[in-house]
Structures are given as C-alpha cells and as structure tokens.
C-alpha cells in the first residue's frame, strides 16, 4: 500500500479504548471475494484458481482475482485419483463451485466437473460421426464376462455384447478374442443420452438358421457336442453356428433320466472332426 492510496476496508470496531476507528483491509478483500464466489455459485459459472496448498483430504484453491480460498477434495481434482499434484500447482485451472456454506464462510469446488463437461462435449462431436448400420474396425481393449470392449479409431470405446459376438454358443469371450486383436464391427444401436454405441460381430455374417430348410426331420446328421449340462447337451450341426439341444430324455430308451456331469467342452472347429 502506497501513501495517499485509496483502498477498501472493513470496519471492525467503531471506537476502541483509545477512541480510534479500527478497520481491516484483508478482511475487506476476503468479503469482496466471498461475494464474487456466491455470485459465481448462483450463476453456475466456473472460476479460475490455483492450487494454493495441500491439506488433509484435498487441496486449498485460491481464486486468482479475489484471492478467496476454497476447498477441493482429492477425488474432485482430476478424472482419476492422483497422488502427485506437482504438475497442477502454480498453474491457473478452472473449477466449478459445488457447495457454499454461508454460515461458516467456506466453499467446495471441483475441477473434475469441468473436465467431465469438456469430455462430454467432445464425445458428443465424436458420436455424431457414427450411425447405426456403419461398419467400423475396432481394437480389443478389454474383455469382460458380459462382452468385449473395442476402441474405434482411437477416439471412442464401444461394446460388443457376448450375445452379439458369434452365432454359435460362447461361454467366455476369452475363447474368441485376445487383447489388441482387431475385428470388423457393425454398429447396431446408438444411445445419445448415455453416449454409448453398441456393436455386433455376428450380424456381419448371415444367420445360420436361415439354412435350416436343408435339414429334414427324422434323419441323422453328424453333430459336435459343444456343451454338456445335467439335463442335456448342446450340439452344433455341420452348419457353423447352428446349435441344437439334445435333451437327456432323448439320449437313450431307458425310462430313468440320464444324468450328465456339468462340464464344458470346447474344441477348435477346424482341428476336430464332427463325431
């Protein structure tokens, strides 16, 4: 503060013991900054701040213009939890105010909300490039018990559900594909609200059931047993992907029901003949 400079002050006491008016310049700056924080919170506008210091459970963020201090939890600092925050310190960042406690005079902010909104905007632009019926090439990124996740053009992740992997019965996607393998995919659904694309591999080939007319009733055909259950077996006909159920009651002429051990047999189709 320079001589004869005018500054804003907060009156703390009209008259002290010596009869002086007691004021505070720092408190005036804090209150002015707090008013700006409340205004930004009501309008849901982001603020610019720097990571001032690290505290238990998060960091203290200082708003650049008003110098007001806010708390940002560690979970709201980035998209993924990170222990090293040195690359975020002393750098102007965008934060969104989540909650304000007027009685205590503190505020809670988040950088993660800003990043998520930007990610959503970019994903909306990417999603407009793809339509139902398009054929794309995807790289296997992850395999789960319900399907396969592919990365398409390095910009969006899509899911191929286990039921859309192949026409034949598949118990585990690990038997069908490996990580980093590439497959041609058909986009079968587009959910703009969830920002998701559903794909299929099997729909790129004709449904084997369309050739069922070549098979006649009461005529023997060679089959390959692909799965055995307690109440029967699943057999694959020479038509790839065309499976039939052999119930335990149809295995022999005994009145007593046949019991099978619950085991799964999977053989490569090209290496083992039908028998």
């Amino acid at each position: 503060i320079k001589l004869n400079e005018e500054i804003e002050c907060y009156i703390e006491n009209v008259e002290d013991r010596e009869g002086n008016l007691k004021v505070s310049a720092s408190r005036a700056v804090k209150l002015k900054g707090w008013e700006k924080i409340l205004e930004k919170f009501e309008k849901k506008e982001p603020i610019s701040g720097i990571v001032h210091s690290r505290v238990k459970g998060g960091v203290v963020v200082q708003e650049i213009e008003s110098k007001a201090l806010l708390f940002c939890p560690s979970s709201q600092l980035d998209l993924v939890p990170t222990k090293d925050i040195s690359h975020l310190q002393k750098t102007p960042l965008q934060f969104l105010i989540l909650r304000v406690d007027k009685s205590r005079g503190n505020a809670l902010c988040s950088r993660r909300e800003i990043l998520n909104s930007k990610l959503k905007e970019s994903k909306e632009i990417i999603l407009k490039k793809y339509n139902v019926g398009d054929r794309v090439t995807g790289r296997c990124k992850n395999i789960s018990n319900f399907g396969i996740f592919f990365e398409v053009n390095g910009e969006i992740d899509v899911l191929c559900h286990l039921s859309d992997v192949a026409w034949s019965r598949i118990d585990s996607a690990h038997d069908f594909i490996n990580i980093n393998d590439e497959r041609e995919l058909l986009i079968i659904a587009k959910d703009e609200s969830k920002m998701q694309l559903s794909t299929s591999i099997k729909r790129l080939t004709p449904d084997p059931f369309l050739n069922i007319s070549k098979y006649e009733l009461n005529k023997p055909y060679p089959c390959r047993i692909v799965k055995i259950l307690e109440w029967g077996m699943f057999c694959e006909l020479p038509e790839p992907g065309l499976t039939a159920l052999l119930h335990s009651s149809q295995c022999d002429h005994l009145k007593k029901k046949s019991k099978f051990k619950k085991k799964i047999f999977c053989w490569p189709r090209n290496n083992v003949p039908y028998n």
Side-chain angles (χ1 to χ4, degrees):
I1 301 174
K2 298 179 182 179
L3 191 64
N4 297 323
E5 182 184 354
E6 293 185 359
I7 60 172
E8 291 185 346
C9 296
Y10 174 81
I11 299 176
E12 291 187 336
N13 196 350
V14 177
E15 187 177 1
D16 60 6
R17 291 181 180 180
E18 298 178 356
N20 297 320
L21 181 70
K22 188 177 180 182
V23 298
S24 172
S26 60
R27 193 167 182 182
V29 173
K30 185 177 180 181
L31 286 174
K32 191 175 181 180
W34 180 247
E35 290 175 359
K36 185 177 179 181
I37 293 299
L38 291 174
E39 183 182 353
K40 292 283 186 179
F41 174 69
E42 292 173 356
K43 293 182 179 180
K44 296 182 179 180
E45 295 179 353
I47 61 169
S48 296
I50 59 172
V51 178
H52 183 267
S53 59
R54 189 160 193 169
V55 294
K56 184 178 180 181
V59 296
V60 175
V61 177
Q62 186 180 52
E63 208 271 330
I64 295 177
E65 187 176 344
S66 65
K67 307 299 181 181
L69 301 179
L70 304 91
F71 175 70
C72 179
S74 299
S75 59
Q76 297 294 325
L77 193 57
D78 210 337
L79 291 174
V80 293
T82 177
K83 292 183 179 180
D84 185 15
I85 61 170
S86 57
H87 62 288
L88 300 176
Q89 291 179 324
K90 298 180 180 180
T91 304
L93 303 171
Q94 293 287 315
F95 295 88
L96 184 68
I97 304 172
L98 300 180
R99 190 169 64 248
V100 171
D101 191 341
K102 296 181 181 180
S103 60
R104 295 185 178 181
N106 55 37
L108 182 74
C109 64
S110 170
R111 178 172 173 260
R112 183 177 180 177
E113 291 293 326
I114 300 292
L115 297 177
N116 279 331
S117 61
K118 291 181 179 179
L119 188 65
K120 186 178 179 180
E121 290 175 1
S122 61
K123 201 170 183 180
E124 286 178 352
I125 297 173
I126 294 172
L127 206 64
K128 291 180 180 178
K129 300 179 183 179
Y130 304 95
N131 297 305
V132 176
D134 292 349
R135 292 192 177 197
V136 295
T137 301
R139 180 182 64 85
C140 179
K141 190 175 181 180
N142 189 23
I143 303 173
S144 66
N145 56 353
F146 57 86
I148 307 171
F149 288 94
F150 290 92
E151 185 181 54
V152 178
N153 298 329
E155 60 183 8
I156 189 170
D157 293 341
V158 300
L159 170 66
C160 181
H161 197 270
L162 191 64
S163 60
D164 279 300
V165 171
W167 291 108
S168 57
R169 294 181 62 87
I170 295 179
D171 295 299
S172 175
H174 291 275
D175 300 328
F176 180 82
I177 197 171
N178 297 318
I179 299 294
N180 293 325
D181 286 353
E182 291 188 352
R183 291 288 189 277
E184 189 176 8
L185 307 169
L186 178 68
I187 299 176
I188 58 175
K190 181 179 179 180
D191 192 337
E192 295 184 357
S193 61
K194 295 182 179 180
M195 301 289 174
Q196 292 177 351
L197 290 175
S198 297
T199 60
S200 174
I201 298 175
K202 74 176 187 180
R203 299 191 193 185
L204 292 171
T205 56
D207 187 352
F209 197 78
L210 297 175
N211 299 324
I212 196 65
S213 57
K214 68 169 66 174
Y215 298 96
E216 301 177 7
L217 296 178
N218 301 318
K219 186 177 180 180
Y221 293 97
C223 294
R224 183 172 65 94
I225 299 172
V226 293
K227 191 171 184 178
I228 299 177
L229 301 172
E230 293 181 359
W231 42 270
M233 295 178 286
F234 284 98
C235 309
E236 188 177 56
L237 293 167
E239 192 76 25
L242 191 59
T243 54
L245 171 63
L246 176 61
H247 197 268
S248 58
S249 61
Q250 299 296 323
C251 289
D252 51 42
H253 291 284
L254 298 176
K255 292 183 179 181
K256 186 177 180 181
K257 290 183 178 181
S258 303
K259 291 184 179 180
F260 303 97
K261 293 182 179 180
K262 191 175 181 180
K263 294 182 179 179
I264 299 174
F265 295 89
C266 295
W267 298 289
R269 181 180 289 110
N270 298 329
N271 296 338
V272 180
Y274 292 95
N275 50 46

